[in-house]
Amino acid sequence: MAGQFTSVADATVRLEAAGYLTEPSIATVVFLADRLGKPVLVEGPAGVGKTELAKAVAAAKAAQLIRLQCYEGLDEAKALYEWNYKKQLLRIQADAAEERHRAWDDVRDDIFSHDYLLARPLLQAITGDGPAVLLVDEVDKVDFEFEALLLEVLSDFQVSVPELGTVVATRRPTVVLTSNSTRELSEALKRRCLYLHLDYPSAEREADIVRARAPGVSAALAQQVVRAVRTLRELDLRKPPAVSETLDWAQTLVALGREDLDDEVIAATIGVLCKQSTDVDKGLSALAGHAS
């Protein structure tokens, strides 16, 4: 099934069919964003499924996922568009070789056309003629200047290209912005979005996610894995294990043919969960004697 979600229940069913086990609050925001045509700002710690939610929405709507990965120093050219200067130069050289003495206005109109435009994620999402989900991932990493640009684009879903004029979306994409809350986003951006906060799932829900996403994991092993991971998250680690790392660990144990946990297998596989030497030491200490 594709197209708009018809209800919260429909959103729930389709997201879960796409492999995303959801909660009523999540499905409600997804449905409302789809119905009202508003972006969704999803905040929460790293690794709780913010990016996966956008991917699941795209799959549930049979839409193209267009991802803008944010980072410090991201500029307009990498987010919106830039000109294919090499192709433009080749065209000018070809004209010169053919001794085509044209007025500069004619040359400019030729080389500054859609054929020479390199659309980046924001422009791709606006100009696409099919259903699309625009994922603006880790928006808290960009500066306020870029945030203002993003706000302008998301307000009217149009982009001004000086050489071509204003490009207006004929079909608005579904927009999901994610943030790890490393800085406060502007109130103007927040006003234009529906807000959703995601945290680590409950133990029961995480065990369900493990069993759904890691085939071969028994219910007993899934519960042991989740208990151990939640113990690690309670520690003062530099990087607490994410849900994706819970899944990786469960799959690791299945690959090793293990059906339960003991100190030996924990020590051998702790690197799947902890990615800093100090975290490894703290983790091994906390999980020592962790009963299977």
Side-chain angles (χ1 to χ4, degrees), residues 139-168:
V139 67
D140 51 323
K141 289 187 176 180
V142 300
D143 55 28
F144 285 104
E145 182 179 350
F146 185 85
E147 191 179 324
L149 167 68
L150 183 62
L151 184 64
E152 181 181 355
V153 173
L154 296 182
S155 295
D156 301 315
F157 286 92
Q158 63 182 35
V159 173
S160 177
V161 181
E163 298 84 356
L164 298 177
T166 300
V167 180
V168 181

Side-chain angles (χ1 to χ4, degrees), residues 5-213:
F5 298 113
T6 58
S7 64
V8 174
D10 179 49
T12 300
V13 170
R14 288 162 62 180
L15 287 174
E16 293 191 352
Y20 193 94
L21 300 186
T22 187
E23 301 284 351
S25 59
I26 299 173
T28 299
V29 170
V30 168
F31 165 70
L32 290 174
D34 197 39
R35 179 59 59 90
L36 301 176
K38 295 180 71 67
V40 180
L41 172 60
V42 189
E43 284 193 324
V48 295
K50 302 185 296 295
T51 299
E52 290 302 314
L53 175 59
K55 292 179 180 179
V57 171
K61 291 170 64 69
Q64 178 188 9
L65 178 69
I66 301 174
R67 182 173 182 172
L68 174 62
Q69 179 61 55
C70 297
Y71 54 87
E72 186 177 352
L74 178 65
D75 60 17
E76 181 176 336
K78 296 300 182 183
L80 276 174
Y81 70 90
E82 56 187 327
W83 293 103
N84 190 332
Y85 298 115
K86 291 183 179 179
K87 187 175 179 181
Q88 289 173 323
L89 181 58
L90 287 174
R91 180 55 186 270
I92 292 172
Q93 291 173 336
D95 280 358
E98 295 173 7
E99 297 184 350
R100 296 175 61 185
H101 303 294
R102 296 190 295 163
W104 167 244
D105 286 345
D106 294 334
V107 175
R108 181 186 58 196
D109 290 343
D110 188 8
I111 64 174
F112 286 103
S113 63
H114 287 284
D115 292 337
Y116 297 86
L117 189 68
L118 297 175
R120 299 310 184 195
L122 293 182
L123 187 59
Q124 289 174 6
I126 288 177
T127 56
D129 55 4
V133 172
L134 171 62
L135 167 61
V136 184
D137 216 4
E138 298 183 305
V139 67
D140 51 323
K141 289 187 176 180
V142 300
D143 55 28
F144 285 104
E145 182 179 350
F146 185 85
E147 191 179 324
L149 167 68
L150 183 62
L151 184 64
E152 181 181 355
V153 173
L154 296 182
S155 295
D156 301 315
F157 286 92
Q158 63 182 35
V159 173
S160 177
V161 181
E163 298 84 356
L164 298 177
T166 300
V167 180
V168 181
T170 56
R171 181 169 187 164
R172 290 193 173 193
T174 300
V175 181
V176 178
L177 304 95
T178 74
S179 168
N180 294 334
S181 304
T182 59
R183 74 167 177 86
E184 188 71 20
L185 300 176
S186 71
E187 292 300 322
L189 182 62
K190 288 184 175 181
R191 278 198 304 272
R192 285 164 174 78
C193 300
L194 299 180
Y195 181 79
L196 176 65
H197 182 269
L198 292 186
D199 208 337
Y200 294 111
S202 66
E204 294 75 16
R205 175 59 73 177
E206 191 162 10
D208 289 341
I209 293 171
V210 169
R211 295 202 66 193
R213 300 289 295 276

Side-chain angles (χ1 to χ4, degrees), residues 203 206 220-235 237 240-242 245-246 249-250 253 260-263 265-266 269-270 273-274 282-284 286-292:
E206 191 162 10
L221 181 58
Q223 291 172 358
Q224 292 173 42
V225 165
V226 169
R227 282 200 304 268
V229 170
R230 292 174 72 85
T231 297
L232 295 179
R233 289 182 188 145
E234 293 173 357
L235 305 177
L237 301 182
E245 287 159 329
T246 306
W249 198 34
L253 296 172
D260 54 40
L261 291 178
D262 57 31
D263 288 350
V265 74
I266 289 173
T269 61
I270 191 70
L273 299 173
C274 300
K282 291 178 181 178
L284 287 176
L287 296 180
H290 200 80
S292 61

